[in-house]
Amino acid sequence: MSFKYSISLILLIFIFQNSEAQERRFNAGLLLGFNASQIQGDAEAGYNKIGLLTGLTAEIRLAEKSEIGLEITFSQLGSRSINRSTNLTEFKSTLNYVMVPVYFKYKDWYMEEDQYYRLHFLGGLSYGRLFSTKMEG
């Protein structure tokens, strides 16, 4: 291992040890979940299409009760027909998006005994970009 990489590793270890001793100002994590979606106008009712939701999230604490957050997510949306007695042909559509929401969070009503906030208020904007589609049926 070169000297430059050794110094970088030592600095990272020092930074992480320091951050554990103080309250965290930055939080980051992984997102993994599912979407249930539909497309208006496809003659189907209900959220019949399950899709993957995955990504990264990060938050910066501004004050004791407020944070700003950013996410970068991959999200599968779409629609799927279900087996009905209609004359519609069965179909499935998948829409793959990349979404980048930015939000402000305010937390209130701290529960000292259990160490959590009972209320979280969120507001913000989101940018989404469709990058691929797949239609079957």
Side-chain angles (χ1 to χ4, degrees):
M1 187 179 331
S2 74
F3 179 74
K4 182 169 89 172
Y5 293 119
S6 299
I7 294 296
S8 298
L9 182 61
I10 291 169
L11 285 175
L12 280 174
I13 291 170
F14 178 73
I15 290 169
F16 285 125
Q17 284 180 343
N18 263 352
S19 67
E20 289 299 319
Q22 303 170 2
E23 280 191 49
R24 290 187 185 174
R25 183 172 170 93
F26 300 98
N27 288 317
L30 300 174
L31 300 170
L32 181 62
F34 297 98
N35 290 321
S37 63
Q38 71 176 14
I39 296 177
Q40 185 173 344
D42 65 0
E44 292 289 320
Y47 293 87
N48 304 317
K49 172 73 170 84
I50 302 296
L52 177 66
L53 173 72
T54 185
L56 302 171
T57 182
E59 291 181 339
I60 300 171
R61 188 166 24 104
L62 302 174
E64 181 182 344
K65 294 184 176 185
S66 62
E67 299 172 356
I68 288 181
L70 169 76
E71 296 176 1
I72 300 173
T73 62
F74 166 79
S75 185
Q76 286 183 322
L77 303 173
S79 183
R80 178 178 68 89
S81 66
I82 58 175
N83 192 5
R84 292 191 183 170
S85 60
T86 62
N87 291 333
L88 293 174
T89 60
E90 290 194 21
F91 67 91
K92 184 168 106 175
S93 63
T94 301
L95 310 171
N96 295 318
Y97 281 88
V98 170
M99 292 191 237
V100 182
V102 177
Y103 58 88
F104 175 78
K105 181 194 300 185
Y106 181 78
K107 302 178 287 189
D108 202 6
W109 197 356
Y110 186 70
M111 303 302 293
E112 190 73 40
E113 185 177 299
D114 298 321
Q115 297 183 345
Y116 72 95
Y117 287 93
R118 289 187 67 134
L119 297 175
H120 292 234
F121 300 96
L122 289 135
L125 300 171
S126 181
Y127 172 78
R129 176 84 177 191
L130 175 66
F131 69 89
S132 72
T133 61
K134 181 179 179 182
M135 304 291 203
E136 297 174 12

